[in-house]
């Protein structure tokens, strides 16, 4: 491949308004590396790895997808969720943290209107954190998922409702079997409308008296989201038995919590 041709294409993709922020950030890193005279092959290998979580599923925006296919030599990916130029600019991103991100992908990924679900890290202070760094709990990041969705098909209200069903909003020290600050329950809003919906939904949950402990899930403004290493992407597809076992454990703990709350309510009624 000709380096000058690649540079020109990178430049055009970076300026393309349809290119998403995640894509643009990685394309910019590649462009700067080539301008700094780094080896073309090494730069492209890194870029392919960075784009692979979405590229392997055909969920990059159209022009970036074409570029990805060109530099990988891969065949086009056929998928019902592929982003089209006509609606790419209308897509939105929802970011949720609620324990290990392995368990948060499938419940969203299998819903209509979902373009992609990316596991990653957000909310911290360390740039480009690794899984091992976040696992220790010293970077300030939480494990989270970034969900690109079509609001014409799937509403943010529905996504928040799913989030509440998957988490324990009363646990300030983690989620279920996942313990530590990196597993906190957080809704990260990306605009004012999401902020209002998340706060209203949280207040409704508080007033429902569904739980016997305070609701501690945080609602925070979204900060930089760092996609996790490729190993963690689509984990439920790679290791379905492992994820199902984790899901069963979470479900059992949720059931025990509901039984405990119901028992306390019954005791109050008998008094």
């Amino acid at each position: 491949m000709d380096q000058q041709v690649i540079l020109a294409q990178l430049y055009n993709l970076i300026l393309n308004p349809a290119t998403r922020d995640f894509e643009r950030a990685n394309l910019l890193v590649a462009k700067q590396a080539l301008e700094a005279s780094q080896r073309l092959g090494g730069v492209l290998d890194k870029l392919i790895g960075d784009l692979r979580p979405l590229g392997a599923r055909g969920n990059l925006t159209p022009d970036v997808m074409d570029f990805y296919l060109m530099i990988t030599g891969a065949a086009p990916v056929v998928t019902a969720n592929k982003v089209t130029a006509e609606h790419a600019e209308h897509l939105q991103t929802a970011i949720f943290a609620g324990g290990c991100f392995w368990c948060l992908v499938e419940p969203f990924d299998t819903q209509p209107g979902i373009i992609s679900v990316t596991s990653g890290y957000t909310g911290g202070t360390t740039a480009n954190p690794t899984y091992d760094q976040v696992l220790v709990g010293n970077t300030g990041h939480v494990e989270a998922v970034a969900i690109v969705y079509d609001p014409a098909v799937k509403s943010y209200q529905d996504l928040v409702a799913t989030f509440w069903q998957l988490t324990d909003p009363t646990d300030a020290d983690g989620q279920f079997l996942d313990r530590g600050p990196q597993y906190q329950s957080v809704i990260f809003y990306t605009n004012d409308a999401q902020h209002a919906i998340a706060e209203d939904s949280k207040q409704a949950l508080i007033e429902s008296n569904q739980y016997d402990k305070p609701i501690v899930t945080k609602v925070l403004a979204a900060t930089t989201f760092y996609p996790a290493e490729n190993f963690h992407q689509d984990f439920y597809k790679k290791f379905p038995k492992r994820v199902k076992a984790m899901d069963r454990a979470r479900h059992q703990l949720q059931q025990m919590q509901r039984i405990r709350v119901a028992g306390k309510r019954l005791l109050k009624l008998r008094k």
Side-chain angles (χ1 to χ4, degrees), residues 68-264:
Y68 175 83
L69 292 174
M70 183 195 74
I71 62 177
T72 59
V77 179
V78 178
T79 169
N81 278 342
K82 185 172 181 180
V83 179
T84 61
E86 288 74 19
H87 78 281
E89 63 184 52
H90 301 298
L91 299 178
Q92 294 189 24
T93 301
I95 302 175
F96 300 117
C100 178
F101 46 29
W102 294 342
C103 294
L104 291 182
V105 176
E106 184 177 12
F108 292 106
D109 196 38
T110 51
Q111 295 187 34
I114 302 301
I115 306 303
S116 65
V117 182
T118 302
S119 298
Y121 319 111
T122 192
T125 56
T126 302
N128 300 306
T130 65
Y131 180 75
D132 290 338
Q133 289 175 320
V134 175
L135 190 63
V136 175
N138 294 330
T139 68
H141 293 90
V142 291
E143 291 193 10
V145 290
I147 304 161
V148 178
Y149 67 101
D150 186 346
V153 179
K154 175 64 62 176
S155 71
Y156 186 69
Q157 290 94 329
D158 287 343
L159 294 177
V160 173
T162 298
F163 169 77
W164 292 129
Q165 294 170 10
L166 299 172
T167 60
D168 177 0
T170 68
D171 191 345
D173 300 315
Q175 285 291 290
F176 307 108
L177 299 177
D178 305 318
R179 314 313 303 162
Q182 69 273 28
Y183 297 122
Q184 293 180 69
S185 171
V186 187
I187 299 174
F188 293 96
Y189 60 88
T190 61
N191 55 49
D192 291 341
Q194 287 189 0
H195 188 192
I197 291 169
E199 292 287 8
D200 289 346
S201 182
K202 179 179 176 179
Q203 185 59 37
L205 188 63
I206 293 171
E207 294 173 359
S208 73
N209 294 318
Q210 181 178 336
Y211 297 91
D212 59 345
K213 296 179 182 179
I215 304 299
V216 297
T217 295
K218 299 175 183 177
V219 178
L220 303 174
T223 56
T224 303
F225 181 91
Y226 297 96
E229 296 83 345
N230 289 342
F231 173 77
H232 301 290
Q233 306 301 334
D234 291 325
F235 196 85
Y236 78 96
K237 295 180 180 179
K238 299 172 183 174
F239 305 98
K241 291 183 179 179
R242 185 172 178 181
V243 172
K244 285 181 180 178
M246 296 171 67
D247 285 341
R248 281 195 298 269
R250 288 167 69 107
H251 180 69
Q252 289 170 354
L253 290 170
Q254 285 178 313
Q255 288 294 96
M256 290 173 60
Q257 184 181 58
R258 295 188 183 105
I259 291 172
R260 185 186 71 245
V261 173
K264 288 184 176 181

